[in-house]
Amino acid sequence: MSSSVKDNYEAVIGLEVHAQLLTESKAFAPVSTEFGGSPNTQVTPLCLGHPGTLPVLNENLVRYIIKMGLATNCEISRKSIFARKNYFYPDLPKGYQISQYETPICHDGHIGITADGYDKEIGITRIHMEEDAGKSIHDQDPFNTLIDLNRAGVPLIEIVSEPDIRTPKEAYEYLKRIKQIVQYLEICDGNMEEGSLRCDANVSVRPKGREKFGTRTELKNMNSFRNVERAIQYEIDRQIELIESGGKVVQQTLLWDADKMKTRLMRTKEEAHDYRYFPEPDIPPVVVTDEMLEDIKADLPEMPDVRKQRFVEEFNMSSDDAQTLTEDRYLADYYEEVLAHTDSPKTVANLILTEVLRTLNDRSISIGEFPISADRLAGLVELRENDKINSSAMTEIFNAMLENDKSAEDLAEEMNLVQVSDTGFLEPIVDEVIEDHPDEVERYRDGKKGLLGFFIGQVMQRSQGKANPELVREMISERLEA
Ligand code: ADP
Ligand code: MG
């Protein structure tokens, strides 16, 4: 299909994001939420839906969701209730999930995103509390599906956006923003690959200029940021092609297959659940007092935009650099931790923006898994700041530090990279280089000043990379100009 046909259409996208909260205990039962325990060791009669058990609301669930609501400019409902969402599934022993339906605790908010160079606001319809279901494991026993209920009852928040998103890129940026906010608030680790952040996308297309929305489909099973972008693009193209060939979009739920890079049908609208929501009779309404709200507001951390602005002002860095450093809360924390051990904000920022980010990228790891601790990195920066090593030695030592636990200082000695700024040592080398290259000397004196780099390179080589290049530059130009 030609791109001009596609240009006649506009996509409309709304995202539903589930974030698993980092509370220590479950939403309605005093049992651990820790990930990775042996199957079915973190369950109580309540998670199993035994009759006669009564849920008790975890206060932190309420605090965490209010934090999220405040950080996304939502109104906070002073009184909201829980509802039962009824359906049958093997990993849902109660036969219903406790959720919120008519009165979400947070609603009518918005967040800002930047996509392809423009800024835009995306509306947040609602954010509500609910509990997770258990896990069905299909790939461990050849004949049976196994059930692990450790996850049953783990608290989630669901963040529903307005249909304000228009491109896959905007959806990607919106999701990144949500991840950034939950990480800054420390309410969710934001890991999509591990399922602590999950996203469903509602997608429709309409001819440009038409106000009425088209029929939407819902995409599930996209377990990475890139897959969300890809799946939405695939679905937009599919819908346009379908309409252009005379067909009609049918409301259905589709699963993204990351291997085949396409979607497949999960269910049609007729097969959709009727959840028969009704108010949860066992949990009293959630009442948010002024006092509670003030207390939570006072507890909010410095948010990414504010931190970025502070980095620009306090460390005199470009807005782009500040953006990159504050994008990931833990990277920004690392930066400030290094600065607690050395006061060279510029050198530290440069090192993180180049070598550290490159390493994270190459190894596909997060800053939390980065092997050089903040104080060790500060040690490396100190060596450079005090002119003990030159910049190429800094990179060499950095690479060595990735592989062992030694200090930068020890490695500089061991690798024989301590820079020589001693003119007494360098002078004979400079003399030697000049003597060995009479032709170059003549050409330099005839005006080929670019040869300076050649002479510096020769001295660096003969000093085994240890000479202070600045000093060598001075010494050589002095000699050649003489
Ligand atoms: P449900 O999934 O329960 O049917 P909603 O109808 O409230 O929930 O919509 C869920 C999501 O779908 C929201 O994020 C909303 O913005 C989005 N949405 C609604 N209508 C459309 C549409 N025509 N095209 C794309 N997204 C839509
Ligand atoms: Mg939905």
Side-chain angles (χ1 to χ4, degrees), residues 115-181:
D116 294 327
Y118 58 90
D119 294 333
K120 181 168 172 175
E121 221 164 64
I122 308 293
I124 307 268
T125 315
R126 55 185 279 153
I127 309 178
H128 67 253
M129 305 178 258
E130 58 184 35
E131 58 175 341
D132 211 344
K135 224 182 204 164
S136 299
I137 302 160
H138 305 290
D139 57 3
Q140 284 195 8
D141 183 301
F143 307 109
N144 302 294
T145 288
L146 305 176
I147 305 285
D148 177 7
L149 293 173
N150 284 353
R151 205 180 65 182
V154 167
L156 301 176
I157 57 174
E158 178 172 344
I159 306 146
V160 182
S161 87
E162 286 291 297
D164 290 343
I165 300 166
R166 291 290 170 270
T167 66
K169 180 76 190 200
E170 285 181 15
Y172 175 86
E173 293 299 334
Y174 168 85
L175 203 54
K176 280 262 171 190
R177 195 74 167 160
I178 295 282
K179 169 178 167 165
Q180 187 191 39
I181 295 171

Side-chain angles (χ1 to χ4, degrees), residues 30 46 59 89 114 138 180 211 214 350 425 434 455 469 475:
L46 198 105
E59 208 174 297
Y89 207 76
T114 303
H138 305 290
Q180 187 191 39
E211 209 173 313
N350 286 341
F425 170 82
I434 287 178
F455 289 109
M475 290 172 71

